[in-house]
Amino acid sequence: MGGLWLFFLFTYVVKKKLVVLTGAGVSAESGMSTFRDADGLWNNYRVEDVATPEGFARNPKLVLDFYNDLHNSLQTLKPNYGHIGLAELEEYFDVRVITQNVDNLHEAAGSHNVLHLHGELTKYASVRNPETPIEWPFGENLELGDKAEDGSQKRPFIVWFGEGVPNISLAAEWAKEADIFLVIGTSLAVYPAAGLLGYVDNAVPVYLIDPKPVKSPYNHAITAIQKGASEGMRELIEILKRKHLNI
Ligand code: APR
């Protein structure tokens, strides 16, 4: 009887921690551009122009317009099954989503534990306090000369290249605690995010969904599902149910 009860406790009450690292690819089917694919953002814009503090100092209007457009585009985007499947998995797992994305599609899909490493397009900040987010309502653009309450120029709440990544410590804690680790739609080209896999115990099963082969800098045995986020998520859920939930 005691054994049965323990089985119930571990299967249904103590949920395994499913820690997920997502990148631009999870939002591609929702209409958000990736960065390094052939039609990616970094083929149309120079990183140093729109994603560095130096670029902002040089041409703030260009940078504000770039993020105003992205912010406005969020209003029409809908989560795809890559996002929705992760939210559904909360029924079975303690799901923690670490995302490099600045869109709000994981939240829109219903995920409850989302940690943004590179900022959020639904928030702005100020030049003096770039790490303090303020809600950025739709319908408002950030203009040159707009001041935040601290008196300095408003800027997007985005972590630019060369800036600190304050959420990386908590993300590393989550990665260390993972029972299962999942990577979706990231080329693993940008650190420190790509280094999170290094915190994942070697015995932890790692799954990866991406239509292209992605090379991990670490030695985990990775189960790769070489498909887009929606189709890959459907396949992954079947595997997780079979291998980790016995259902
Ligand atoms: N489903 C899943 N993955 C996809 C899909 C799709 N439908 N389409 C493309 N991908 C994959 C690509 O094959 C690629 O491996 O998504 C990945 C996107 O990689 P990048 O464009 O490099 O984006 P990401 O890894 O998120 O970039 C990291 O770089 O410039 C920065 O700050 C920016 O957060 C971003 C960081």
Side-chain angles (χ1 to χ4, degrees):
M1 188 65 191
L4 249 183
W5 201 84
L6 268 180
F7 177 77
F8 171 81
L9 188 75
F10 280 106
T11 312
Y12 298 102
V13 182
V14 183
K15 293 177 177 172
K16 286 184 177 165
K17 286 195 179 72
L18 172 63
V19 181
V20 191
L21 173 65
T22 68
V26 75
S27 297
E29 290 159 36
S30 298
M32 195 81 184
S33 292
T34 61
F35 295 94
R36 294 171 187 78
D37 287 309
D39 54 351
L41 279 176
W42 297 156
N43 281 327
N44 297 316
Y45 293 88
R46 282 159 32 107
V47 172
E48 38 299 29
D49 288 342
V50 295
T52 62
E54 295 77 16
F56 186 54
R58 224 172 20 245
N59 191 344
K61 182 161 168 36
L62 174 87
V63 177
L64 292 175
D65 287 347
F66 177 77
Y67 290 100
N68 283 333
D69 285 350
L70 287 175
H71 169 79
N72 290 323
S73 74
L74 283 189
Q75 292 179 85
T76 53
L77 298 189
K78 301 239 175 328
N80 64 66
Y81 196 69
H83 307 100
I84 294 165
L86 280 183
E88 289 178 358
L89 280 169
E90 289 188 10
E91 187 179 338
Y92 305 106
F93 295 97
D94 173 0
V95 181
R96 316 264 175 104
V97 182
I98 304 165
T99 187
Q100 298 166 88
N101 298 346
V102 294
D103 64 51
N104 58 352
L105 294 174
H106 285 302
E107 289 88 346
S111 280
H112 290 95
N113 301 308
V114 184
L115 187 63
H116 287 267
L117 292 180
H118 295 163
E120 293 172 72
L121 275 174
T122 52
K123 297 176 181 157
Y124 69 85
S126 73
V127 167
R128 195 168 299 144
N129 292 297
E131 293 177 9
T132 306
I134 301 155
E135 282 310 310
W136 180 2
F138 287 119
E140 279 180 24
N141 281 343
L142 302 182
E143 307 291 353
L144 202 51
D146 284 353
K147 301 279 197 301
E149 280 195 1
D150 63 12
S152 70
Q153 169 70 43
K154 288 182 182 176
R155 58 162 275 180
F157 179 59
I158 297 291
V159 175
W160 285 326
F161 285 92
E163 296 187 314
V165 182
N167 283 341
I168 198 69
S169 316
L170 181 56
E173 288 307 312
W174 286 8
K176 275 186 213 161
E177 292 168 3
D179 296 308
I180 303 168
F181 198 79
L182 166 63
V183 179
I184 312 177
T186 171
S187 59
L188 294 177
V190 172
Y191 284 78
L196 284 172
L197 261 170
Y199 292 94
V200 178
D201 193 283
N202 265 325
V204 166
V206 177
Y207 297 91
L208 187 148
I209 300 174
D210 199 299
K212 289 190 195 153
V214 176
K215 214 175 145 17
S216 159
Y218 303 97
N219 293 324
H220 304 88
I222 295 183
T223 304
I225 300 173
Q226 215 172 317
K227 297 199 167 142
S230 297
E231 205 189 340
M233 178 57 67
R234 288 197 170 82
E235 192 168 317
L236 176 82
I237 289 177
E238 290 312 308
I239 297 174
L240 292 179
K241 284 184 172 170
R242 211 172 47 238
K243 286 204 170 173
H244 302 283
L245 295 169
N246 301 317
I247 51 177

